[in-house]
Amino acid sequence: MNALNRKNELKKEEKEEKTSIPNGHQARKRCSLDDYQLNESKRVKMEEMETELSSTTTTMTTMTAMTAKSERKNGISALTKAEGSTETEKTDKKILKFSFSSRRDMYPANSSAALTSSTTSLTSSISSTKIGHSAKFKEYFIEFNADDEHSWTTLQSAVKAIQAQVQVETSREFLFRKVEDLCINGHRNEVVSRLTAAIRDHVTTFVPNYLNNVSNTDQFLKTVNRLWQQFCNELVMIRGIFLYLDRTQTLEGLQQTSVWEIGLNIFRDRVMEVCGTASRICNCVLEVISRERGGELVDRMLLKDLTSMLIDLQLYHRLLEQRIVEETAQHYDRESQEKLDALTVPGYLEYAEKRLLDESLRLEHYLASSTKKLLIPTCEMELMGRHMTRLLDKGLAEMLNASARADLERFYRLISRVANGLDTLRARFADYMKMVGRDIVINPEKDSSMVQELIDFKDKMDAVVNESFAKNEKFLETLRDSFEKFINQRANKPAEMIAKYVDGKLRAGNKEATDEELERLLDKVMVIFRFIHGKDVFEAFYKKDLAKRLLLGKSASVDAEKSMLSKLKHECGGQFTSKLEGMFKDMELSKDINVAFKQYMSEREAPGNIDLTVSVLTMGFWPSYPPVQVNLSGEMLTFQELFSNFYLHKHNGRKLQWQPNLGQCVVKARFTDGLKELQLSLYQTLVLLLFNDATELTLEEIVEKTKIEDGELRRTLQSLACGKARVLAKNPKSRDVEDDDTFGFNNEFKNKHYKIKINQVQMKETPEEQADTTERVFADRQYQIDAAIVRIMKMRKTLAHNLLLSEIYKQLKFPVKVSFCWRCRERLSRCDATAIGFIWL
């Protein structure tokens, strides 16, 4: 072994020595390598001498083997012979002692001849043991001689001085050399035994005297900590002197206890367990922790030192840790019950969060880190887990109603720490949304405000999930599922109300929002639209309302209309919006047709003072309107015939069907107050024109002259005689039109505006219109079900009842009842029912 290898090995030993000393006490950290490192040149000299000794020992081993072989032939054991020669042993010991002393003090490092001469005189009993670094070193016991006893006396005096906390007169290097001499002379085990006894005697007689006289908890803990710190300081200094024991143990691979471990074991066995100190320390620590939980300030550094002491002595996990967990569970079991009865749910959540933070700080400051995996789950279970159902029942709905997002965030954060906590919270969150949403949708009294309430409720729940529930994907999915569930509990109505809500926002005169706000509102409407199943109902009502907005010029913005159309196309596909797009195309084409018609009329003499504008509609794109026949004025009929000739001449083969119910007119009327311009429907115009030739007419006479349907006529007369702009005088005066009522032109009508709109009645939906739209939806559904059954049965030929229903549900985009499907099936003569299912004939 050369000097460089020895240096590397020493560094490795120093690293092991650093890691072998537990952390937590400043006294042990002062165990610096400077206290025991030898001069490097001396180490090199020792290496050279050990190499020479190894060579000599090899020669001696060979000689011993030959001697042992000879003795076995004579039936005598070499070991027995060696043990029987007492005088030889003494001589050998002296020679051994002399050889090492001569090697260290008398001969220079290069005087190998003298060393060889000295060591060759060793007998076979001695040569069979490799001195210094042999694996057989611990198997033999060599008694102390006078020099060895003197060396031990010196070491013992130093140990007692350290224990008495007085100055050690002998230098550390000298003491270190004494330990080294004793170990090299074969006395390692005896040194360890005597050192152990010295430490044990000191600890047994000295430490308990201080502890038995202390009764106060705080004073007792401080005394224990002071004695422990003092003992660690002493042990560090003693270890520095006897470090050679640990080094030889590492180099030779001996499985023996280090000096530090010997000291800790003695302290644990003689102080902690024999005297009952450990149990008392645990009781006192638990008492101080309980006082701290009660709000008292305690010395956390003292507690940290004591728990570190228990960890070093391997008593923490066995005696204290489990008791801390049990005491914590009992404490919070009592306290949480009291707080839950006394506080509101938000107040209790603040209390629970503070308590969990306190326990985390307690772990950080003075408890072992390994306790965290036991203590924190225990606190979470006692504070939240055991009361989770009660907290949800008592406070979740209240916090959601009040939009208490900070409290909800705290609730989510705390309940997420409990097993299955989030799943339980998610289920209760879904129940709350279904309960509130169902009340909005099912109640007929809330139909007018249904969509706005749904939008507000959706915004509210989105804010809760995003801000309070950390945008948890499962909660977002629960929100969507819950909305879809309760919105469709009332079939068709939500879809109808969404269409009417959009109609109200897109009409002219809606000054509630700017273009940007309207765009954001339409986006929110589309979110609600996604949840409904009966999208065909929405399409029917939206198409009807869109037709009125386009034909009556009531659309607030073409851009807003097209933006909504784009959103519907993106959501439902091009097939869903193809007819709606066709309506816009018809309006664009109608503008070009009217320009051409005006060009056409400019080349001819006009039959009257009428400016006619016609909207030509493709029948397949627009809602179905029943044909209506009314008596138009002569001039109107003339212009209608002129346009028909113009259009049919230009588009040969087409057929025009006039729809007067959506016509509108601008009429100038002269009153006592002056000339006014009235915006009227075509029906209102026909009624007013009758009073150019008559001063008073009965209901029956008006019906006969105009041929307007009775219900539509009554609504028209009511708008003219009973509304805000009463251009007709009704006798007798009332809100409703009766059969015997008479009407006359109100020449005394006054209004500060020149242009007066009276045709709002056209925009209002009548019960007949609503029923007709719903009926058309169901008729279309019947055709779709028929088509689906035909497609399925033509492909499958034979199919069981349940499988047929399943296939129908897959193909249809609207909810349908089983009985409705069977009625549709009965109309199909080629789908024959059998006991096992249906057969396509």
Side-chain angles (χ1 to χ4, degrees), residues 695-743:
T695 57
E696 189 176 74
L697 294 171
T698 63
L699 176 63
E700 184 178 356
E701 291 173 337
I702 295 174
V703 170
E704 182 179 355
K705 290 179 179 294
T706 59
K707 301 298 181 182
I708 300 174
E709 187 267 332
D710 182 72
E712 190 67 39
L713 179 60
R714 289 175 185 269
R715 188 162 59 252
T716 300
L717 290 172
Q718 190 177 28
S719 65
L720 293 173
C722 305
K724 293 182 179 180
R726 300 183 179 184
V727 294
L728 292 182
K730 176 179 171 294
N731 188 25
K733 296 181 178 181
S734 64
R735 293 292 301 172
D736 298 322
V737 176
E738 304 297 338
D739 294 342
D740 56 350
D741 289 347
T742 59
F743 300 88

Side-chain angles (χ1 to χ4, degrees), residues 242-297:
F242 290 87
L243 187 61
Y244 192 82
L245 297 177
D246 294 347
R247 287 190 172 182
T248 55
Q249 172 187 332
T250 303
L251 290 174
E252 298 175 8
L254 299 178
Q255 299 299 323
Q256 295 186 5
T257 307
S258 66
V259 175
W260 180 262
E261 292 173 346
I262 290 172
L264 295 185
N265 292 340
I266 293 172
F267 196 90
R268 179 180 64 245
D269 298 338
R270 296 293 175 174
V271 177
M272 291 297 175
E273 295 186 347
V274 174
C275 301
T277 307
S279 178
R280 186 179 176 186
I281 290 173
C282 293
N283 293 334
C284 293
V285 169
L286 290 173
E287 179 186 341
V288 173
I289 292 176
S290 178
R291 283 158 38 195
E292 185 185 28
R293 286 176 176 150
E296 182 179 334
L297 293 176

Side-chain angles (χ1 to χ4, degrees), residues 325-363:
V325 175
E326 292 173 358
E327 290 286 338
T328 301
Q330 295 174 7
H331 173 79
Y332 286 122
D333 182 39
R334 297 188 303 270
E335 188 177 76
S336 62
Q337 290 285 358
E338 297 172 358
K339 294 294 184 180
L340 191 58
D341 294 336
L343 300 174
T344 62
V345 172
Y348 180 85
L349 294 175
E350 291 180 4
Y351 151 77
E353 186 176 46
K354 183 179 182 302
R355 280 308 198 186
L356 288 172
L357 179 61
D358 291 343
E359 295 301 327
S360 298
L361 293 175
R362 193 165 291 117
L363 281 165

Side-chain angles (χ1 to χ4, degrees), residues 163-227:
Q163 292 173 342
Q165 298 186 12
V166 298
Q167 182 68 33
V168 179
E169 297 179 357
T170 311
S171 68
R172 291 185 180 182
E173 183 176 356
F174 179 80
L175 296 172
F176 182 89
R177 288 176 176 275
K178 289 296 183 181
V179 175
E180 182 182 12
D181 289 341
L182 290 174
C183 291
I184 292 175
N185 291 343
H187 302 311
R188 182 186 186 282
N189 291 343
E190 179 67 13
V191 172
V192 171
S193 177
R194 294 190 180 193
L195 177 62
T196 302
I199 298 174
R200 184 187 301 113
D201 293 341
H202 170 71
V203 170
T204 304
T205 57
F206 173 74
V207 176
N209 295 333
Y210 283 90
L211 300 179
N212 294 333
N213 299 325
V214 182
S215 59
N216 180 269
T217 298
D218 293 337
Q219 192 62 36
F220 172 76
L221 293 178
K222 291 179 181 179
T223 303
V224 169
N225 184 51
R226 184 175 68 255
L227 292 176

Side-chain angles (χ1 to χ4, degrees), residues 628-646:
V628 178
Q629 295 294 332
V630 295
N631 290 336
L632 299 177
S633 64
E635 291 181 351
M636 289 182 180
L637 286 173
T638 302
F639 272 90
Q640 180 176 304
E641 185 176 352
L642 286 172
F643 184 86
S644 297
N645 294 333
F646 160 75

